Amino acid sequence: MIYQVPAHAREGAATPITSLERYRERAARAANDPDAFWLEVTKQRVAWRKSPSVGLEGDFHGIASGPLSWFADGELNVTESCLDRHLEARGDKTAILWEGDEPGQTRRLSYRELHAEVCKTANALAALGLQRGERAILYMGMVPEAAIAMLACARLGAIHSVVFGGFSAEALRERIRDCGAEIVITQDEGLRGGKRIPLKATTEQALEGCPSVRHVLVYKHTGADVPFVEGRDVWWHDVVDSASSSHEAVIVPAEHPLFILYTSGSTGHPKGVVHTSGGYLTYASYTHATVFDLREDDVFACVADVGWITGHSYIVYGPLANGATTLMFESVPTYPDAGRYWEMVERLGITIFYTAPTAIRALQAQGDEFVTRADRSSLRVLGTVGEPINPEAWIWYRDVVGEGRCAVVDTWWQTETGGIAISPIAPATPAKPGSATLPLPGIQASLRSPEGHALFGPARGLLCIDHPWPGQARTLWRDHERFVATYFSMVEGHYFTGDGCRRDEDGYYWITGRVDDVLNVAGHRMGTAEFEAALVSMDAIAEAAIVGYPHTIKGQGVYAYVVLQGEDEIDLTALNATCRTQIGAHARIDRVQVVPGLPKTRSGKVMRRILRKVAEGRGDELGDVSTLADPSVVEAIKGGFEGD
Ligand code: PRX
């Protein structure tokens, strides 16, 4: 589509967007000449050693022949943007503000201190043999050392892959093996809501059968007695504390991989999403500054975990590239009680707060008193991410938490997009509760029919992005074919997000959720296939099918249909014990129904549509089931529905 650029639109790509009119001008400029737009953005936001002269090379149509690139002739090290360049003007400014598991247990690292710690850690990792292009797996809790380790890898040109600390030993092993990590960085234990998370012990289990790992670097956090293998394992304090605090960053080309982050797909094993240096940093920095209306004295609090993309882009890379003060929060929203966030807002003077709708719904259910007893006058912008937000929760967030005076930004994006893609721009975009509103300038979103035809005006369809953007994933680790098949085969020449979406008469986007077999439970993305693989590994289970159903707090709940062998009953606790071992503590089934068989077509394909309808309590709306191999199982399934 060709947009008309108004003659007076002369401001730069980094000038704050202060009105909807300005937004439209900026979006039009970006769409008319993406290369010029993004080159301007990157030059303003990133400290390049060698400034790029080219924007995009390649396109979505040619993606099968290899990854596309942005700023290909540029050279940089992302940590120079995040650390070195701030030393002069912001050396004493707090870079990382850490709040531990116990309220008031804080640590502040200035940009100068963070720079020194990253240099020391980079020197220590180099001494352990970690080289440019090699992989380091991080399996840590929310301690500053997690961010330090990420940046230290980046400083060496090594590729980090952070695995969320809730994942099990088996899940961790799968990821270590997939990327062939040379080093694992972990800590003795994590802490969350007064509970100890045995990170090192789990790492130990995971390492059985991981010959690529030469060393394990262990940060001592709780001081617990943990397994320690002499020669292979190294204490952080033994090698980092004594290392030199100066380190010459390894300069890499723009497209050098920065990190791999595993995420769930609709089938098979987790996918190693690859993000590269120059484009990712440009995009994380641009979106962080633009969406949240970032100002120099902001205290930015994204309460996600660094194990997810939200933590990568909006705890570490975006805020640090922008010289902001970024919070790292070790605990949970309900520890010691449901007022923790707001007490923290008051005590730390948080100005921008970013969380998931699940947390908002859970806290809303606890009553307003937990919120109103804290002074929230420092807050200016409130954000949500990870799942659709229902209007009731959105309104509560705006009116009760934000006292009706804060901008609320519902930000839609994905591990693969690298950063926020559809979102209001605070406070310029007029909000509508429950809508992610409009694509950011530089993102060309479209809705399409299953046949791939573009839908215009108000419509419902598959959410696609039509033109590349710098923050997008480039490939899947050592599996470009799967990358192409997953994202570019549904609609040829367009990136398919996996989400369904509605666009209203004002052009606002309303994400309706995944249209593939991916669940979004409490903002966690999980593949039904991963659950099913765990269940059928149990002797008692012959077949299993997992679907989501609406859940008032978690957005989606997990509903399991199982066909047993040799038993009559199965205990939910036993199922969850298996999911916990094979996937992780966050993978929990809410309801289980034993069925005599799964509804299958004559060719053997499970008809999930039927299972979803029954799990949603809409078993009366099944429509035509005559194509099933055995239509009688449907009655049994409907009859055994596990509702409230
Ligand atoms: O379904 C969308 C949902 O989360 C998916 C991406 O999950 P993940 O890669 O884990 O990244 C989560 C954090 C960016 C999307 O395909 N999602 C994310 N944000 C929203 C959302 N759904 C509705 N509204 C959102 N704001």
Short mmCIF file of all heavy atoms in Angstrom, two decimals, residues 406-451:
data_model
loop_
_atom_site.label_atom_id
_atom_site.label_comp_id
_atom_site.label_asym_id
_atom_site.label_seq_id
_atom_site.Cartn_x
_atom_site.Cartn_y
_atom_site.Cartn_z
N CYS A 406 -2.64 7.26 34.18
CA CYS A 406 -1.49 6.71 33.46
C CYS A 406 -1.92 6.20 32.08
O CYS A 406 -3.04 5.73 31.92
CB CYS A 406 -0.89 5.54 34.22
SG CYS A 406 -0.31 5.99 35.86
N ALA A 407 -1.00 6.29 31.15
CA ALA A 407 -1.26 5.67 29.84
C ALA A 407 -1.15 4.16 30.02
O ALA A 407 -0.30 3.68 30.76
CB ALA A 407 -0.23 6.16 28.84
N VAL A 408 -2.03 3.41 29.35
CA VAL A 408 -1.97 1.95 29.41
C VAL A 408 -1.63 1.44 28.01
O VAL A 408 -2.31 1.78 27.04
CB VAL A 408 -3.31 1.34 29.88
CG1 VAL A 408 -3.23 -0.19 29.87
CG2 VAL A 408 -3.66 1.84 31.27
N VAL A 409 -0.57 0.64 27.92
CA VAL A 409 -0.18 0.10 26.61
C VAL A 409 -0.25 -1.43 26.62
O VAL A 409 0.44 -2.10 27.39
CB VAL A 409 1.23 0.59 26.17
CG1 VAL A 409 1.19 2.08 25.85
CG2 VAL A 409 2.31 0.33 27.22
N ASP A 410 -1.14 -1.95 25.80
CA ASP A 410 -1.29 -3.40 25.63
C ASP A 410 -0.41 -3.75 24.45
O ASP A 410 -0.72 -3.43 23.30
CB ASP A 410 -2.77 -3.70 25.36
CG ASP A 410 -3.03 -5.13 24.90
OD1 ASP A 410 -2.07 -5.91 24.76
OD2 ASP A 410 -4.20 -5.45 24.64
N THR A 411 0.72 -4.38 24.73
CA THR A 411 1.74 -4.57 23.70
C THR A 411 1.70 -6.00 23.15
O THR A 411 1.91 -6.95 23.88
CB THR A 411 3.15 -4.31 24.28
OG1 THR A 411 3.46 -5.31 25.25
CG2 THR A 411 3.24 -2.94 24.93
N TRP A 412 1.44 -6.11 21.86
CA TRP A 412 1.45 -7.44 21.22
C TRP A 412 2.79 -7.67 20.54
O TRP A 412 3.28 -6.82 19.78
CB TRP A 412 0.34 -7.56 20.17
CG TRP A 412 0.46 -8.88 19.44
CD1 TRP A 412 -0.08 -10.06 19.81
CD2 TRP A 412 1.26 -9.14 18.27
NE1 TRP A 412 0.31 -11.06 18.95
CE2 TRP A 412 1.13 -10.53 18.00
CE3 TRP A 412 2.07 -8.37 17.43
CZ2 TRP A 412 1.78 -11.13 16.91
CZ3 TRP A 412 2.71 -8.96 16.37
CH2 TRP A 412 2.55 -10.35 16.11
N TRP A 413 3.36 -8.80 20.81
CA TRP A 413 4.57 -9.23 20.10
C TRP A 413 4.87 -10.67 20.42
O TRP A 413 4.06 -11.33 21.07
CB TRP A 413 5.74 -8.30 20.38
CG TRP A 413 6.17 -8.14 21.81
CD1 TRP A 413 5.44 -7.59 22.83
CD2 TRP A 413 7.42 -8.50 22.39
NE1 TRP A 413 6.17 -7.59 23.99
CE2 TRP A 413 7.38 -8.14 23.75
CE3 TRP A 413 8.59 -9.08 21.88
CZ2 TRP A 413 8.47 -8.35 24.61
CZ3 TRP A 413 9.66 -9.28 22.73
CH2 TRP A 413 9.60 -8.92 24.07
N GLN A 414 6.01 -11.18 19.97
CA GLN A 414 6.35 -12.59 20.11
C GLN A 414 7.86 -12.76 20.23
O GLN A 414 8.62 -11.86 19.84
CB GLN A 414 5.94 -13.36 18.85
CG GLN A 414 4.56 -13.07 18.34
CD GLN A 414 4.29 -13.82 17.07
OE1 GLN A 414 4.88 -13.54 16.04
NE2 GLN A 414 3.39 -14.80 17.12
N THR A 415 8.26 -13.94 20.68
CA THR A 415 9.69 -14.26 20.70
C THR A 415 10.30 -13.95 19.34
O THR A 415 11.40 -13.39 19.23
CB THR A 415 9.89 -15.75 21.03
OG1 THR A 415 9.21 -16.03 22.26
CG2 THR A 415 11.35 -16.12 21.15
N GLU A 416 9.58 -14.28 18.30
CA GLU A 416 10.10 -14.14 16.93
C GLU A 416 10.17 -12.69 16.46
O GLU A 416 10.94 -12.38 15.56
CB GLU A 416 9.22 -14.92 15.95
CG GLU A 416 9.21 -16.42 16.16
CD GLU A 416 8.17 -16.90 17.17
OE1 GLU A 416 7.69 -16.06 17.97
OE2 GLU A 416 7.84 -18.09 17.17
N THR A 417 9.33 -11.81 17.01
CA THR A 417 9.35 -10.42 16.50
C THR A 417 10.49 -9.63 17.15
O THR A 417 10.81 -8.54 16.68
CB THR A 417 8.01 -9.69 16.74
OG1 THR A 417 7.81 -9.54 18.15
CG2 THR A 417 6.84 -10.42 16.11
N GLY A 418 11.06 -10.13 18.25
CA GLY A 418 12.20 -9.48 18.89
C GLY A 418 11.80 -8.32 19.79
O GLY A 418 12.52 -7.99 20.72
N GLY A 419 10.70 -7.69 19.49
CA GLY A 419 10.25 -6.56 20.29
C GLY A 419 8.80 -6.28 19.96
O GLY A 419 8.19 -6.97 19.11
N ILE A 420 8.26 -5.28 20.63
CA ILE A 420 6.84 -4.93 20.48
C ILE A 420 6.54 -4.58 19.03
O ILE A 420 7.29 -3.85 18.38
CB ILE A 420 6.52 -3.74 21.41
CG1 ILE A 420 6.77 -4.14 22.86
CG2 ILE A 420 5.09 -3.25 21.20
CD1 ILE A 420 6.77 -2.99 23.85
N ALA A 421 5.42 -5.09 18.53
CA ALA A 421 5.09 -4.86 17.12
C ALA A 421 3.75 -4.12 16.95
O ALA A 421 3.61 -3.28 16.07
CB ALA A 421 5.06 -6.19 16.37
N ILE A 422 2.76 -4.47 17.75
CA ILE A 422 1.47 -3.76 17.69
C ILE A 422 1.19 -3.26 19.10
O ILE A 422 1.15 -4.05 20.05
CB ILE A 422 0.33 -4.68 17.22
CG1 ILE A 422 0.67 -5.28 15.85
CG2 ILE A 422 -0.99 -3.92 17.17
CD1 ILE A 422 -0.42 -6.19 15.29
N SER A 423 1.01 -1.96 19.24
CA SER A 423 0.84 -1.40 20.58
C SER A 423 0.50 0.07 20.50
O SER A 423 0.92 0.75 19.56
CB SER A 423 2.17 -1.54 21.34
OG SER A 423 2.17 -0.78 22.52
N PRO A 424 -0.20 0.57 21.51
CA PRO A 424 -0.32 2.02 21.60
C PRO A 424 1.06 2.62 21.86
O PRO A 424 1.96 1.94 22.37
CB PRO A 424 -1.21 2.24 22.84
CG PRO A 424 -1.79 0.91 23.17
CD PRO A 424 -0.87 -0.13 22.61
N ILE A 425 1.21 3.87 21.54
CA ILE A 425 2.41 4.63 21.88
C ILE A 425 1.98 5.59 22.98
O ILE A 425 1.11 6.43 22.77
CB ILE A 425 2.94 5.37 20.65
CG1 ILE A 425 3.46 4.34 19.64
CG2 ILE A 425 4.02 6.37 21.04
CD1 ILE A 425 3.83 4.91 18.31
N ALA A 426 2.58 5.41 24.18
CA ALA A 426 2.13 6.23 25.31
C ALA A 426 2.61 7.66 25.13
O ALA A 426 3.77 7.85 24.80
CB ALA A 426 2.71 5.65 26.61
N PRO A 427 1.80 8.66 25.41
CA PRO A 427 0.36 8.58 25.60
C PRO A 427 -0.40 8.98 24.33
O PRO A 427 -1.57 9.34 24.40
CB PRO A 427 0.14 9.63 26.70
CG PRO A 427 1.19 10.68 26.39
CD PRO A 427 2.32 10.00 25.66
N ALA A 428 0.29 8.88 23.17
CA ALA A 428 -0.28 9.47 21.95
C ALA A 428 -1.48 8.71 21.39
O ALA A 428 -2.42 9.31 20.87
CB ALA A 428 0.81 9.54 20.87
N THR A 429 -1.45 7.38 21.47
CA THR A 429 -2.50 6.59 20.81
C THR A 429 -3.73 6.48 21.72
O THR A 429 -3.61 5.95 22.83
CB THR A 429 -1.99 5.16 20.51
OG1 THR A 429 -0.69 5.25 19.94
CG2 THR A 429 -2.93 4.42 19.58
N PRO A 430 -4.88 6.94 21.27
CA PRO A 430 -6.08 6.76 22.11
C PRO A 430 -6.33 5.26 22.29
O PRO A 430 -6.35 4.50 21.33
CB PRO A 430 -7.20 7.40 21.28
CG PRO A 430 -6.50 8.25 20.27
CD PRO A 430 -5.17 7.62 20.01
N ALA A 431 -6.48 4.83 23.54
CA ALA A 431 -6.60 3.40 23.82
C ALA A 431 -8.05 2.93 23.74
O ALA A 431 -8.98 3.73 23.82
CB ALA A 431 -6.05 3.11 25.20
N LYS A 432 -8.20 1.63 23.54
CA LYS A 432 -9.50 0.99 23.71
C LYS A 432 -9.20 -0.24 24.56
O LYS A 432 -8.32 -1.04 24.18
CB LYS A 432 -10.06 0.51 22.36
CG LYS A 432 -10.41 1.62 21.39
CD LYS A 432 -11.15 1.02 20.19
CE LYS A 432 -11.27 2.05 19.07
NZ LYS A 432 -12.08 1.54 17.94
N PRO A 433 -9.89 -0.42 25.67
CA PRO A 433 -9.58 -1.55 26.55
C PRO A 433 -9.68 -2.88 25.83
O PRO A 433 -10.71 -3.20 25.26
CB PRO A 433 -10.65 -1.46 27.64
CG PRO A 433 -11.18 -0.06 27.56
CD PRO A 433 -10.99 0.40 26.16
N GLY A 434 -8.58 -3.63 25.82
CA GLY A 434 -8.59 -4.95 25.19
C GLY A 434 -7.99 -4.97 23.80
O GLY A 434 -7.82 -6.03 23.22
N SER A 435 -7.64 -3.79 23.27
CA SER A 435 -7.05 -3.75 21.93
C SER A 435 -5.59 -3.36 22.01
O SER A 435 -5.21 -2.44 22.74
CB SER A 435 -7.78 -2.72 21.06
OG SER A 435 -7.07 -2.55 19.84
N ALA A 436 -4.76 -4.06 21.22
CA ALA A 436 -3.34 -3.68 21.13
C ALA A 436 -3.18 -2.46 20.20
O ALA A 436 -2.07 -2.00 19.96
CB ALA A 436 -2.51 -4.86 20.63
N THR A 437 -4.25 -1.97 19.71
CA THR A 437 -4.39 -0.77 18.85
C THR A 437 -3.69 -0.90 17.49
O THR A 437 -4.14 -1.68 16.67
CB THR A 437 -4.01 0.54 19.58
OG1 THR A 437 -2.61 0.66 19.73
CG2 THR A 437 -4.72 0.68 20.92
N LEU A 438 -2.55 -0.20 17.28
CA LEU A 438 -2.04 -0.04 15.91
C LEU A 438 -0.60 -0.54 15.78
O LEU A 438 0.18 -0.46 16.74
CB LEU A 438 -2.08 1.45 15.56
CG LEU A 438 -3.48 2.08 15.58
CD1 LEU A 438 -3.40 3.61 15.62
CD2 LEU A 438 -4.27 1.63 14.36
N PRO A 439 -0.24 -1.02 14.58
CA PRO A 439 1.15 -1.45 14.38
C PRO A 439 2.11 -0.28 14.57
O PRO A 439 1.81 0.84 14.17
CB PRO A 439 1.17 -1.91 12.92
CG PRO A 439 -0.26 -2.09 12.53
CD PRO A 439 -1.07 -1.17 13.39
N LEU A 440 3.26 -0.53 15.16
CA LEU A 440 4.24 0.53 15.33
C LEU A 440 4.75 0.97 13.96
O LEU A 440 4.78 0.17 13.02
CB LEU A 440 5.43 0.03 16.15
CG LEU A 440 5.15 -0.32 17.60
CD1 LEU A 440 6.45 -0.65 18.32
CD2 LEU A 440 4.45 0.83 18.32
N PRO A 441 5.18 2.22 13.84
CA PRO A 441 5.79 2.64 12.58
C PRO A 441 6.93 1.68 12.22
O PRO A 441 7.77 1.38 13.07
CB PRO A 441 6.34 4.03 12.90
CG PRO A 441 5.45 4.54 13.99
CD PRO A 441 5.09 3.32 14.81
N GLY A 442 6.92 1.17 11.02
CA GLY A 442 7.94 0.19 10.61
C GLY A 442 7.39 -1.22 10.55
O GLY A 442 8.04 -2.12 10.03
N ILE A 443 6.18 -1.43 11.11
CA ILE A 443 5.56 -2.76 11.06
C ILE A 443 4.36 -2.68 10.13
O ILE A 443 3.45 -1.86 10.33
CB ILE A 443 5.10 -3.20 12.47
CG1 ILE A 443 6.30 -3.41 13.38
CG2 ILE A 443 4.24 -4.48 12.39
CD1 ILE A 443 7.22 -4.56 13.01
N GLN A 444 4.37 -3.51 9.11
CA GLN A 444 3.25 -3.52 8.15
C GLN A 444 2.42 -4.77 8.37
O GLN A 444 2.69 -5.82 7.81
CB GLN A 444 3.81 -3.47 6.74
CG GLN A 444 4.58 -2.17 6.49
CD GLN A 444 5.15 -2.08 5.10
OE1 GLN A 444 4.58 -2.60 4.16
NE2 GLN A 444 6.28 -1.44 4.98
N ALA A 445 1.43 -4.63 9.25
CA ALA A 445 0.59 -5.78 9.60
C ALA A 445 -0.52 -5.94 8.58
O ALA A 445 -0.93 -4.98 7.93
CB ALA A 445 0.00 -5.57 10.99
N SER A 446 -0.98 -7.19 8.43
CA SER A 446 -2.15 -7.42 7.58
C SER A 446 -2.96 -8.56 8.14
O SER A 446 -2.45 -9.38 8.91
CB SER A 446 -1.72 -7.74 6.14
OG SER A 446 -1.04 -8.99 6.11
N LEU A 447 -4.23 -8.58 7.78
CA LEU A 447 -5.08 -9.73 8.11
C LEU A 447 -5.34 -10.46 6.81
O LEU A 447 -5.58 -9.83 5.78
CB LEU A 447 -6.40 -9.26 8.74
CG LEU A 447 -6.29 -8.52 10.07
CD1 LEU A 447 -7.68 -8.26 10.65
CD2 LEU A 447 -5.47 -9.32 11.07
N ARG A 448 -5.29 -11.78 6.89
CA ARG A 448 -5.44 -12.58 5.67
C ARG A 448 -6.39 -13.74 5.89
O ARG A 448 -6.55 -14.22 7.01
CB ARG A 448 -4.07 -13.11 5.22
CG ARG A 448 -3.20 -11.95 4.81
CD ARG A 448 -1.85 -12.28 4.28
NE ARG A 448 -1.27 -11.00 3.90
CZ ARG A 448 -1.32 -10.46 2.68
NH1 ARG A 448 -1.84 -11.12 1.68
NH2 ARG A 448 -0.82 -9.27 2.46
N SER A 449 -6.97 -14.15 4.79
CA SER A 449 -7.83 -15.33 4.82
C SER A 449 -6.92 -16.56 4.86
O SER A 449 -5.73 -16.46 4.54
CB SER A 449 -8.69 -15.36 3.56
OG SER A 449 -7.84 -15.63 2.45
N PRO A 450 -7.48 -17.73 5.21
CA PRO A 450 -6.65 -18.94 5.20
C PRO A 450 -6.03 -19.21 3.83
O PRO A 450 -4.99 -19.86 3.73
CB PRO A 450 -7.64 -20.05 5.57
CG PRO A 450 -8.73 -19.35 6.29
CD PRO A 450 -8.84 -17.98 5.69
N GLU A 451 -6.63 -18.65 2.78
CA GLU A 451 -6.05 -18.84 1.44
C GLU A 451 -4.95 -17.82 1.16
O GLU A 451 -4.32 -17.84 0.11
CB GLU A 451 -7.12 -18.69 0.36
CG GLU A 451 -8.21 -19.76 0.38
CD GLU A 451 -9.21 -19.57 1.54
OE1 GLU A 451 -9.54 -18.40 1.84
OE2 GLU A 451 -9.60 -20.58 2.15
#
